[in-house]
Every structure is written in C-alpha cells, then in structure tokens.
Amino acid sequence: MKSSIQRDRKVPIGIALRSVCSLQTPFRHSAQSYDCVHVVFIATIFFFLALGSGGSRLLRAQDPTVASTPPMGWNSWNHFAERVDDQTIRAQADAMVASGMRDAGYTYINIDDTWEGERDAVGYIHPNNKFPDMKALADYVHSKGLKLGIYSSPGAKTCAGFEGSLGHEKQDAETYAKWGIDYLKYDLCSLSTEMRKTPTPEDAHQIMIDAYIKMRDALRSTGRPIVVSLCQYGDDAVWRWGLDVGGNLWRTTGDISDHYARMSDIGFGQAGLARFAGPGHWNDPDMLEVGNGGMNIEEYRTHMSLWAILAAPLLAGNDLSIMTPETTALLTNREVIAIDQDKLGKQGDRVTAEGPIEIWARTLADHSKAVGVFNRHEAPLSATVDFRALGFRGTVTVRDIWHAKDLGPMKDTYTVTVPPHGVVVLRVR
Ligand code: GLA
C-alpha cells in the first residue's frame, strides 16, 4: 500500500486508495471493494496518527529488534576494572557458556573502560596492548554464540583517563562496526568539563544531547545493529530523553558498589520510573554485583529480584570463571529471568511501603503479576500481601519463585516472614 502511494506522489489520496483496492486481491470484482477503500483509508489515518504521536518516537529509536527485552550479559568493570584484558574476556565468554548462563539468556560480553590505545595519524582508534586484536576477540566471542560490547565516552577522555570519542565519533563507530562490536556503553565522563564551560544549564544540557545524537547517527550509518547504553549517572532526568538520543538503555544512577546499602539505595530509588521504560528502551540501575562477595546470599537475592521486577538489564559483574554454585543458581534462576525478560516489557514499581517492608509488583504478558516482598530491615519481619491492593479479585493462585513452590489458591491476603535484607518473590494470577 505504502509503496504504491509513494510511487506517484501527485495522485490524490482517494484515487490512490481506490487503485490499491483494484489490485488482484480477494476484494476485487466483489461488492467489498467499497469496504476495501474504507479499510485502507482508516489504516492510512492510523498510520499518520501514529507518526504524529508515539510513532515518531519509535521512528527515532534504534532498530526495534535491538534490546526488545532488557540486555543480559556481563561487564568487566565491577570485578576487573582496569585489569581487564583479552584473556579475561575470552575466559569470561568460556565461563558464560560452561556455567549455563548463555543458555539462560545471557548474551553480551562487555569490555568496559581501559581497552583504549592511541589514535593513528588519521584519527582511527587502536586498542592498547592488553587487546592485541579486537576483531579476533570479537570473532572468538561470536563463535561461542555470544556478542561483544565495548565502552567509550563522548568526551575527550574516558572516566579512567583513556582516549574518548570527542571529534572522532564517525571513525569510532566505523571501527566498532568493523571489529564486530554489538553494544556500546557511552559514558559522559570528561564531556562534563566542556559542559561546565557553558553559561547556562540549558547550554550544558544541549552539549550532552548533541554528543549522544552524534554517536547515535554515526552508529546508525554503519548499518550494524549496536545496542546503545547511555551512561551519564541519571542526570537531567535522562529517562525523559534517553530514547530520543538513541539510547536503548540509560543509567538512572551513579555507580553501584558491592554493598547492600548502595545496591538497595539504587534499586529502591527506582520508584516512579516505570513508565519511561519499554521494549527497546530501558532504565538501567547499573550492573549486577551478585557473586562479588560484599553481600550475603539474601542481599544478592534481593538484588537479582529487584532488578528483574524493574525490567533492568542483567549484566553480571562478577568473575564468571570462579562462581560458587549459589552464585550460579542466583544468576541463572529461569523463573526470575523470565520475569526480567517478560515480553510485555512493562517495568514494575512500588505498590506499598510500610517502613522497611516494601511490596513491588510487575504486570507480565500472561496477565499474572510478579510480586516482590522486600524486607529492608536487619532482622526478619513478617509481611502481608494484600492481593486486592494488587488489583486481584476473588481467588488467586500463587507461586513462590525462589522456593519453586506452588502455594495454591488463596484469597485476599498472604502473610509471610521475610529474611533480613531479603525478599520473597511471588507470581500471582
Ligand atoms: C564510570 C561508570 C562506570 C565505569 C567507569 C569506568 O564511573 O559509571 O560504570 O564504566 O566509569 O571508568
């Protein structure tokens, strides 16, 4: 329909519609040809309405097949920081396969900061000597059925003081595509120095927007689908404009650390952001710390559960080659991952808070709800889930996800004891 209308722009729309309907279709020569004109006309109106509203946002977004669910994978920063090198990446890719994480849905192996070397005489970036051959590394990661991510900054320098992309966006995008990169984390870092030089906050904001758009366009012109992860620590309410500057995900906060206090501040601080996320564009409360050793198992369970209810990217940040069975079990729990990766892509939010007891819920594609009953206190506490407050009427069926146990039909409420800093995750329908 669209192409036949576009071929002759001077044909009035009514005639164009009629000619569409006179094509060899089941409508032809039947009394329904009049209906066809109406159907096509209405469809056209909807098409243009969609362009004028949400549709224009969709057109500005990345390839919709990219990050249609929150990206899952691994990132080097939380555990290895500047110690990451080619061998580390290969070992993590191997471990992602051997541990069963790949089969559970983890896909991206992301190199964070400190891979960058010098630019050559014409301005193309080269990796430093920790990464002798980036293309060969990408081939290796791809051969495992995984994808490779990389990191840069719109500023002149990255946060760790390495070469950023400022003034070389097109060259860098071309280089990433040539290497076979599938994901870019683009971290503000030293661009904030340029932003501080401007007279007003609006000017500073514009510098940042322009910089992200520049990289978005450069990546698009390579023709390679590359997930774009914006990292600017959640400033200027990035969730409102992250999609428009090409982000598939955007950090909503400063850096996470491997402590319950920091993880829970960030995680529970996501309340109210749900409406800004959806397929192809996600709020990112930062990478996982599960398995890094600074939290106990209940705290890591809270971390994993909250991130799943938040439809957050699940980027493991531990050393996958030395995981305990408990860590592997936390990271690969299929039912928790199914909540995170639910196709509807509707981020969950806080429903109630009674002091340190918080109940969060997320609506899933099958109309069930994932419910997290969190205890932020340092001692066990009982909590009561009121199914009516979650929108249910009458009898519900309830499954305890971490215990992998059907609790059977229930009515009105469920009272459960939640461990210190822990969680009970229910799937209710
Ligand atoms: C910033 C980011 C981190 C990490 C470091 C690397 O702090 O927020 O996630 O990428 O830079 O230098």
mmCIF file of all heavy atoms in Angstrom, residues 194-236:
data_model
loop_
_atom_site.group_PDB
_atom_site.id
_atom_site.type_symbol
_atom_site.label_atom_id
_atom_site.label_comp_id
_atom_site.label_asym_id
_atom_site.label_seq_id
_atom_site.Cartn_x
_atom_site.Cartn_y
_atom_site.Cartn_z
ATOM 1 N N GLU A 194 33.512 20.094 29.353
ATOM 2 C CA GLU A 194 33.018 21.026 28.314
ATOM 3 C C GLU A 194 31.688 21.640 28.772
ATOM 4 O O GLU A 194 31.427 22.819 28.567
ATOM 5 C CB GLU A 194 32.752 20.297 26.981
ATOM 6 C CG GLU A 194 33.876 19.399 26.490
ATOM 7 C CD GLU A 194 35.188 20.127 26.385
ATOM 8 O OE1 GLU A 194 35.195 21.259 25.852
ATOM 9 O OE2 GLU A 194 36.203 19.590 26.874
ATOM 10 N N MET A 195 30.854 20.813 29.402
ATOM 11 C CA MET A 195 29.533 21.295 29.813
ATOM 12 C C MET A 195 29.649 22.400 30.870
ATOM 13 O O MET A 195 28.881 23.352 30.867
ATOM 14 C CB MET A 195 28.695 20.122 30.341
ATOM 15 C CG MET A 195 28.297 19.139 29.245
ATOM 16 S SD MET A 195 27.747 17.536 29.876
ATOM 17 C CE MET A 195 26.273 17.986 30.776
ATOM 18 N N ARG A 196 30.650 22.255 31.744
ATOM 19 C CA ARG A 196 30.817 23.263 32.810
ATOM 20 C C ARG A 196 31.248 24.623 32.267
ATOM 21 O O ARG A 196 31.063 25.642 32.911
ATOM 22 C CB ARG A 196 31.819 22.769 33.858
ATOM 23 C CG ARG A 196 31.159 21.879 34.922
ATOM 24 C CD ARG A 196 32.075 21.701 36.121
ATOM 25 N NE ARG A 196 33.242 20.917 35.769
ATOM 26 C CZ ARG A 196 33.297 19.580 35.811
ATOM 27 N NH1 ARG A 196 32.238 18.885 36.203
ATOM 28 N NH2 ARG A 196 34.392 18.931 35.479
ATOM 29 N N LYS A 197 31.821 24.630 31.070
ATOM 30 C CA LYS A 197 32.295 25.900 30.492
ATOM 31 C C LYS A 197 31.156 26.739 29.931
ATOM 32 O O LYS A 197 31.349 27.887 29.564
ATOM 33 C CB LYS A 197 33.284 25.608 29.354
ATOM 34 C CG LYS A 197 34.607 25.031 29.814
ATOM 35 C CD LYS A 197 35.508 24.828 28.591
ATOM 36 C CE LYS A 197 36.688 23.933 28.936
ATOM 37 N NZ LYS A 197 37.193 23.214 27.745
ATOM 38 N N THR A 198 29.952 26.162 29.807
ATOM 39 C CA THR A 198 28.851 26.894 29.172
ATOM 40 C C THR A 198 28.189 27.838 30.175
ATOM 41 O O THR A 198 28.219 27.591 31.383
ATOM 42 C CB THR A 198 27.777 25.922 28.634
ATOM 43 O OG1 THR A 198 27.260 25.185 29.740
ATOM 44 C CG2 THR A 198 28.344 24.979 27.601
ATOM 45 N N PRO A 199 27.561 28.925 29.670
ATOM 46 C CA PRO A 199 26.969 29.914 30.588
ATOM 47 C C PRO A 199 25.741 29.429 31.343
ATOM 48 O O PRO A 199 25.491 29.868 32.466
ATOM 49 C CB PRO A 199 26.610 31.094 29.672
ATOM 50 C CG PRO A 199 26.653 30.577 28.269
ATOM 51 C CD PRO A 199 27.529 29.366 28.263
ATOM 52 N N THR A 200 24.937 28.536 30.757
ATOM 53 C CA THR A 200 23.691 28.136 31.435
ATOM 54 C C THR A 200 23.559 26.615 31.480
ATOM 55 O O THR A 200 24.141 25.913 30.648
ATOM 56 C CB THR A 200 22.442 28.675 30.678
ATOM 57 O OG1 THR A 200 22.342 27.955 29.431
ATOM 58 C CG2 THR A 200 22.514 30.161 30.413
ATOM 59 N N PRO A 201 22.746 26.099 32.413
ATOM 60 C CA PRO A 201 22.498 24.657 32.466
ATOM 61 C C PRO A 201 21.867 24.147 31.171
ATOM 62 O O PRO A 201 22.115 23.024 30.744
ATOM 63 C CB PRO A 201 21.506 24.492 33.621
ATOM 64 C CG PRO A 201 21.587 25.735 34.415
ATOM 65 C CD PRO A 201 22.070 26.821 33.511
ATOM 66 N N GLU A 202 21.062 24.996 30.522
ATOM 67 C CA GLU A 202 20.430 24.583 29.261
ATOM 68 C C GLU A 202 21.494 24.344 28.186
ATOM 69 O O GLU A 202 21.426 23.386 27.425
ATOM 70 C CB GLU A 202 19.435 25.650 28.760
ATOM 71 C CG GLU A 202 18.168 25.761 29.590
ATOM 72 C CD GLU A 202 18.389 26.482 30.925
ATOM 73 O OE1 GLU A 202 19.380 27.242 31.050
ATOM 74 O OE2 GLU A 202 17.595 26.258 31.851
ATOM 75 N N ASP A 203 22.483 25.234 28.148
ATOM 76 C CA ASP A 203 23.562 25.063 27.155
ATOM 77 C C ASP A 203 24.350 23.789 27.450
ATOM 78 O O ASP A 203 24.731 23.053 26.541
ATOM 79 C CB ASP A 203 24.524 26.262 27.177
ATOM 80 C CG ASP A 203 23.845 27.532 26.708
ATOM 81 O OD1 ASP A 203 22.932 27.436 25.869
ATOM 82 O OD2 ASP A 203 24.209 28.625 27.195
ATOM 83 N N ALA A 204 24.585 23.564 28.734
ATOM 84 C CA ALA A 204 25.338 22.363 29.126
ATOM 85 C C ALA A 204 24.568 21.115 28.693
ATOM 86 O O ALA A 204 25.128 20.183 28.114
ATOM 87 C CB ALA A 204 25.553 22.353 30.631
ATOM 88 N N HIS A 205 23.278 21.137 28.957
ATOM 89 C CA HIS A 205 22.422 20.002 28.583
ATOM 90 C C HIS A 205 22.497 19.761 27.075
ATOM 91 O O HIS A 205 22.619 18.622 26.614
ATOM 92 C CB HIS A 205 20.988 20.309 29.019
ATOM 93 C CG HIS A 205 20.010 19.238 28.683
ATOM 94 N ND1 HIS A 205 19.972 18.034 29.356
ATOM 95 C CD2 HIS A 205 19.052 19.171 27.729
ATOM 96 C CE1 HIS A 205 19.018 17.276 28.828
ATOM 97 N NE2 HIS A 205 18.457 17.944 27.841
ATOM 98 N N GLN A 206 22.449 20.864 26.316
ATOM 99 C CA GLN A 206 22.448 20.739 24.852
ATOM 100 C C GLN A 206 23.735 20.086 24.340
ATOM 101 O O GLN A 206 23.710 19.290 23.403
ATOM 102 C CB GLN A 206 22.246 22.128 24.214
ATOM 103 C CG GLN A 206 21.826 22.059 22.755
ATOM 104 C CD GLN A 206 20.545 21.242 22.548
ATOM 105 O OE1 GLN A 206 19.565 21.413 23.274
ATOM 106 N NE2 GLN A 206 20.549 20.327 21.576
ATOM 107 N N ILE A 207 24.847 20.427 24.978
ATOM 108 C CA ILE A 207 26.127 19.823 24.568
ATOM 109 C C ILE A 207 26.045 18.306 24.704
ATOM 110 O O ILE A 207 26.469 17.548 23.837
ATOM 111 C CB ILE A 207 27.283 20.385 25.435
ATOM 112 C CG1 ILE A 207 27.579 21.810 24.990
ATOM 113 C CG2 ILE A 207 28.520 19.505 25.362
ATOM 114 C CD1 ILE A 207 28.848 22.382 25.545
ATOM 115 N N MET A 208 25.466 17.882 25.822
ATOM 116 C CA MET A 208 25.352 16.443 26.086
ATOM 117 C C MET A 208 24.416 15.772 25.060
ATOM 118 O O MET A 208 24.757 14.737 24.487
ATOM 119 C CB MET A 208 24.824 16.245 27.508
ATOM 120 C CG MET A 208 24.598 14.809 27.901
ATOM 121 S SD MET A 208 24.272 14.648 29.657
ATOM 122 C CE MET A 208 22.821 15.681 29.868
ATOM 123 N N ILE A 209 23.275 16.394 24.834
ATOM 124 C CA ILE A 209 22.306 15.841 23.875
ATOM 125 C C ILE A 209 22.963 15.715 22.497
ATOM 126 O O ILE A 209 22.869 14.681 21.833
ATOM 127 C CB ILE A 209 21.074 16.790 23.759
ATOM 128 C CG1 ILE A 209 20.359 16.922 25.086
ATOM 129 C CG2 ILE A 209 20.121 16.362 22.640
ATOM 130 C CD1 ILE A 209 19.642 15.702 25.511
ATOM 131 N N ASP A 210 23.614 16.802 22.072
ATOM 132 C CA ASP A 210 24.240 16.803 20.737
ATOM 133 C C ASP A 210 25.279 15.696 20.631
ATOM 134 O O ASP A 210 25.394 15.037 19.598
ATOM 135 C CB ASP A 210 24.896 18.159 20.447
ATOM 136 C CG ASP A 210 23.855 19.264 20.288
ATOM 137 O OD1 ASP A 210 22.657 18.938 20.142
ATOM 138 O OD2 ASP A 210 24.242 20.461 20.332
ATOM 139 N N ALA A 211 26.024 15.508 21.716
ATOM 140 C CA ALA A 211 27.086 14.493 21.690
ATOM 141 C C ALA A 211 26.488 13.095 21.549
ATOM 142 O O ALA A 211 26.989 12.269 20.778
ATOM 143 C CB ALA A 211 27.920 14.581 22.958
ATOM 144 N N TYR A 212 25.418 12.822 22.280
ATOM 145 C CA TYR A 212 24.807 11.493 22.182
ATOM 146 C C TYR A 212 24.186 11.288 20.795
ATOM 147 O O TYR A 212 24.268 10.208 20.215
ATOM 148 C CB TYR A 212 23.780 11.273 23.297
ATOM 149 C CG TYR A 212 24.435 10.898 24.615
ATOM 150 C CD1 TYR A 212 24.216 11.626 25.777
ATOM 151 C CD2 TYR A 212 25.287 9.797 24.681
ATOM 152 C CE1 TYR A 212 24.828 11.264 26.971
ATOM 153 C CE2 TYR A 212 25.903 9.439 25.868
ATOM 154 C CZ TYR A 212 25.672 10.175 27.015
ATOM 155 O OH TYR A 212 26.287 9.825 28.185
ATOM 156 N N ILE A 213 23.563 12.352 20.264
ATOM 157 C CA ILE A 213 22.946 12.233 18.934
ATOM 158 C C ILE A 213 24.015 11.971 17.870
ATOM 159 O O ILE A 213 23.820 11.175 16.949
ATOM 160 C CB ILE A 213 22.121 13.503 18.605
ATOM 161 C CG1 ILE A 213 20.852 13.506 19.453
ATOM 162 C CG2 ILE A 213 21.788 13.578 17.118
ATOM 163 C CD1 ILE A 213 19.962 14.713 19.279
ATOM 164 N N LYS A 214 25.151 12.636 18.045
ATOM 165 C CA LYS A 214 26.239 12.447 17.075
ATOM 166 C C LYS A 214 26.646 10.974 17.010
ATOM 167 O O LYS A 214 26.790 10.397 15.932
ATOM 168 C CB LYS A 214 27.433 13.312 17.508
ATOM 169 C CG LYS A 214 28.350 13.658 16.369
ATOM 170 C CD LYS A 214 29.447 14.591 16.826
ATOM 171 C CE LYS A 214 29.185 16.021 16.406
ATOM 172 N NZ LYS A 214 30.255 16.928 16.829
ATOM 173 N N MET A 215 26.795 10.350 18.158
ATOM 174 C CA MET A 215 27.196 8.940 18.157
ATOM 175 C C MET A 215 26.050 8.055 17.664
ATOM 176 O O MET A 215 26.272 7.099 16.925
ATOM 177 C CB MET A 215 27.682 8.509 19.539
ATOM 178 C CG MET A 215 28.202 7.086 19.573
ATOM 179 S SD MET A 215 29.457 6.694 18.296
ATOM 180 C CE MET A 215 30.994 6.954 19.181
ATOM 181 N N ARG A 216 24.831 8.402 18.040
ATOM 182 C CA ARG A 216 23.679 7.623 17.548
ATOM 183 C C ARG A 216 23.688 7.590 16.018
ATOM 184 O O ARG A 216 23.582 6.527 15.404
ATOM 185 C CB ARG A 216 22.374 8.274 18.024
ATOM 186 C CG ARG A 216 21.131 7.624 17.451
ATOM 187 C CD ARG A 216 19.898 8.500 17.577
ATOM 188 N NE ARG A 216 19.968 9.655 16.690
ATOM 189 C CZ ARG A 216 19.091 10.653 16.676
ATOM 190 N NH1 ARG A 216 18.086 10.660 17.522
ATOM 191 N NH2 ARG A 216 19.220 11.670 15.836
ATOM 192 N N ASP A 217 23.857 8.759 15.419
ATOM 193 C CA ASP A 217 23.815 8.835 13.959
ATOM 194 C C ASP A 217 25.008 8.119 13.327
ATOM 195 O O ASP A 217 24.874 7.464 12.297
ATOM 196 C CB ASP A 217 23.750 10.299 13.499
ATOM 197 C CG ASP A 217 22.418 10.932 13.896
ATOM 198 O OD1 ASP A 217 21.484 10.178 14.263
ATOM 199 O OD2 ASP A 217 22.314 12.182 13.865
ATOM 200 N N ALA A 218 26.156 8.254 13.973
ATOM 201 C CA ALA A 218 27.357 7.590 13.440
ATOM 202 C C ALA A 218 27.168 6.071 13.477
ATOM 203 O O ALA A 218 27.500 5.375 12.519
ATOM 204 C CB ALA A 218 28.576 8.001 14.247
ATOM 205 N N LEU A 219 26.605 5.569 14.563
ATOM 206 C CA LEU A 219 26.381 4.115 14.664
ATOM 207 C C LEU A 219 25.361 3.659 13.637
ATOM 208 O O LEU A 219 25.530 2.644 12.980
ATOM 209 C CB LEU A 219 25.921 3.740 16.078
ATOM 210 C CG LEU A 219 26.974 3.876 17.178
ATOM 211 C CD1 LEU A 219 26.334 3.720 18.549
ATOM 212 C CD2 LEU A 219 28.099 2.852 17.005
ATOM 213 N N ARG A 220 24.300 4.444 13.509
ATOM 214 C CA ARG A 220 23.265 4.068 12.535
ATOM 215 C C ARG A 220 23.837 3.992 11.136
ATOM 216 O O ARG A 220 23.494 3.106 10.365
ATOM 217 C CB ARG A 220 22.139 5.097 12.537
ATOM 218 C CG ARG A 220 21.127 4.798 13.590
ATOM 219 C CD ARG A 220 19.986 5.756 13.471
ATOM 220 N NE ARG A 220 19.140 5.650 14.647
ATOM 221 C CZ ARG A 220 18.177 6.505 14.928
ATOM 222 N NH1 ARG A 220 17.959 7.534 14.151
ATOM 223 N NH2 ARG A 220 17.445 6.342 16.007
ATOM 224 N N SER A 221 24.713 4.932 10.810
ATOM 225 C CA SER A 221 25.185 4.943 9.421
ATOM 226 C C SER A 221 26.119 3.765 9.136
ATOM 227 O O SER A 221 26.424 3.505 7.983
ATOM 228 C CB SER A 221 25.796 6.292 9.044
ATOM 229 O OG SER A 221 26.926 6.507 9.833
ATOM 230 N N THR A 222 26.546 3.043 10.157
ATOM 231 C CA THR A 222 27.339 1.838 9.883
ATOM 232 C C THR A 222 26.442 0.696 9.405
ATOM 233 O O THR A 222 26.917 -0.265 8.817
ATOM 234 C CB THR A 222 28.071 1.316 11.145
ATOM 235 O OG1 THR A 222 27.096 0.805 12.071
ATOM 236 C CG2 THR A 222 28.917 2.384 11.801
ATOM 237 N N GLY A 223 25.147 0.780 9.713
ATOM 238 C CA GLY A 223 24.214 -0.285 9.315
ATOM 239 C C GLY A 223 24.277 -1.502 10.228
ATOM 240 O O GLY A 223 23.543 -2.459 10.033
ATOM 241 N N ARG A 224 25.162 -1.493 11.227
ATOM 242 C CA ARG A 224 25.257 -2.645 12.137
ATOM 243 C C ARG A 224 24.351 -2.403 13.354
ATOM 244 O O ARG A 224 24.432 -1.334 13.967
ATOM 245 C CB ARG A 224 26.711 -2.817 12.597
ATOM 246 C CG ARG A 224 26.910 -4.084 13.412
ATOM 247 C CD ARG A 224 28.365 -4.327 13.773
ATOM 248 N NE ARG A 224 28.461 -5.477 14.656
ATOM 249 C CZ ARG A 224 28.501 -6.738 14.248
ATOM 250 N NH1 ARG A 224 28.504 -7.012 12.968
ATOM 251 N NH2 ARG A 224 28.545 -7.733 15.113
ATOM 252 N N PRO A 225 23.497 -3.367 13.716
ATOM 253 C CA PRO A 225 22.699 -3.147 14.923
ATOM 254 C C PRO A 225 23.596 -3.164 16.159
ATOM 255 O O PRO A 225 24.257 -4.169 16.430
ATOM 256 C CB PRO A 225 21.721 -4.331 14.936
ATOM 257 C CG PRO A 225 22.065 -5.195 13.782
ATOM 258 C CD PRO A 225 23.305 -4.686 13.112
ATOM 259 N N ILE A 226 23.655 -2.055 16.851
ATOM 260 C CA ILE A 226 24.515 -1.944 18.043
ATOM 261 C C ILE A 226 23.669 -1.379 19.178
ATOM 262 O O ILE A 226 23.061 -0.313 19.036
ATOM 263 C CB ILE A 226 25.735 -1.034 17.753
ATOM 264 C CG1 ILE A 226 26.617 -1.675 16.663
ATOM 265 C CG2 ILE A 226 26.545 -0.759 19.028
ATOM 266 C CD1 ILE A 226 27.838 -0.888 16.256
ATOM 267 N N VAL A 227 23.595 -2.097 20.272
ATOM 268 C CA VAL A 227 22.856 -1.618 21.447
ATOM 269 C C VAL A 227 23.591 -0.394 21.999
ATOM 270 O O VAL A 227 24.814 -0.411 22.130
ATOM 271 C CB VAL A 227 22.795 -2.713 22.539
ATOM 272 C CG1 VAL A 227 22.210 -2.165 23.843
ATOM 273 C CG2 VAL A 227 21.991 -3.905 22.054
ATOM 274 N N VAL A 228 22.838 0.661 22.311
ATOM 275 C CA VAL A 228 23.471 1.870 22.855
ATOM 276 C C VAL A 228 23.064 2.035 24.315
ATOM 277 O O VAL A 228 21.883 2.161 24.640
ATOM 278 C CB VAL A 228 23.072 3.126 22.054
ATOM 279 C CG1 VAL A 228 23.694 4.370 22.677
ATOM 280 C CG2 VAL A 228 23.506 2.987 20.606
ATOM 281 N N SER A 229 24.073 2.043 25.172
ATOM 282 C CA SER A 229 23.855 2.204 26.610
ATOM 283 C C SER A 229 24.375 3.581 27.019
ATOM 284 O O SER A 229 25.573 3.842 26.960
ATOM 285 C CB SER A 229 24.619 1.081 27.319
ATOM 286 O OG SER A 229 24.936 1.429 28.634
ATOM 287 N N LEU A 230 23.453 4.474 27.382
ATOM 288 C CA LEU A 230 23.872 5.809 27.812
ATOM 289 C C LEU A 230 24.269 5.746 29.274
ATOM 290 O O LEU A 230 23.570 5.140 30.089
ATOM 291 C CB LEU A 230 22.736 6.817 27.676
ATOM 292 C CG LEU A 230 22.034 6.934 26.329
ATOM 293 C CD1 LEU A 230 20.991 8.042 26.402
ATOM 294 C CD2 LEU A 230 23.026 7.202 25.217
ATOM 295 N N CYS A 231 25.370 6.391 29.585
ATOM 296 C CA CYS A 231 25.806 6.426 30.982
ATOM 297 C C CYS A 231 26.133 7.870 31.299
ATOM 298 O O CYS A 231 27.114 8.418 30.800
ATOM 299 C CB CYS A 231 27.031 5.507 31.125
ATOM 300 S SG CYS A 231 27.681 5.447 32.794
ATOM 301 N N GLN A 232 25.259 8.516 32.031
ATOM 302 C CA GLN A 232 25.557 9.889 32.498
ATOM 303 C C GLN A 232 24.969 10.060 33.899
ATOM 304 O O GLN A 232 24.665 11.133 34.306
ATOM 305 C CB GLN A 232 25.145 10.962 31.498
ATOM 306 C CG GLN A 232 23.764 10.817 30.897
ATOM 307 C CD GLN A 232 22.669 11.259 31.828
ATOM 308 O OE1 GLN A 232 22.195 10.444 32.632
ATOM 309 N NE2 GLN A 232 22.264 12.524 31.753
ATOM 310 N N TYR A 233 24.803 8.879 34.579
ATOM 311 C CA TYR A 233 24.526 8.813 36.018
ATOM 312 C C TYR A 233 23.113 9.301 36.394
ATOM 313 O O TYR A 233 22.850 9.651 37.537
ATOM 314 C CB TYR A 233 25.634 9.551 36.809
ATOM 315 C CG TYR A 233 26.937 9.570 36.021
ATOM 316 C CD1 TYR A 233 27.498 10.766 35.558
ATOM 317 C CD2 TYR A 233 27.549 8.364 35.662
ATOM 318 C CE1 TYR A 233 28.638 10.753 34.769
ATOM 319 C CE2 TYR A 233 28.688 8.346 34.864
ATOM 320 C CZ TYR A 233 29.224 9.544 34.421
ATOM 321 O OH TYR A 233 30.331 9.534 33.616
ATOM 322 N N GLY A 234 22.220 9.364 35.379
ATOM 323 C CA GLY A 234 20.822 9.713 35.665
ATOM 324 C C GLY A 234 20.557 11.202 35.774
ATOM 325 O O GLY A 234 19.471 11.611 36.197
ATOM 326 N N ASP A 235 21.524 12.029 35.353
ATOM 327 C CA ASP A 235 21.321 13.484 35.458
ATOM 328 C C ASP A 235 20.280 13.978 34.447
ATOM 329 O O ASP A 235 20.019 13.327 33.443
ATOM 330 C CB ASP A 235 22.645 14.222 35.202
ATOM 331 C CG ASP A 235 23.628 13.983 36.340
ATOM 332 O OD1 ASP A 235 23.179 13.574 37.432
ATOM 333 O OD2 ASP A 235 24.834 14.192 36.121
ATOM 334 N N ASP A 236 19.751 15.152 34.729
ATOM 335 C CA ASP A 236 18.796 15.826 33.814
ATOM 336 C C ASP A 236 17.642 14.907 33.431
ATOM 337 O O ASP A 236 17.126 14.997 32.312
ATOM 338 C CB ASP A 236 19.495 16.298 32.522
ATOM 339 C CG ASP A 236 20.527 17.390 32.789
ATOM 340 O OD1 ASP A 236 20.779 17.696 33.965
ATOM 341 O OD2 ASP A 236 21.080 17.917 31.809
#
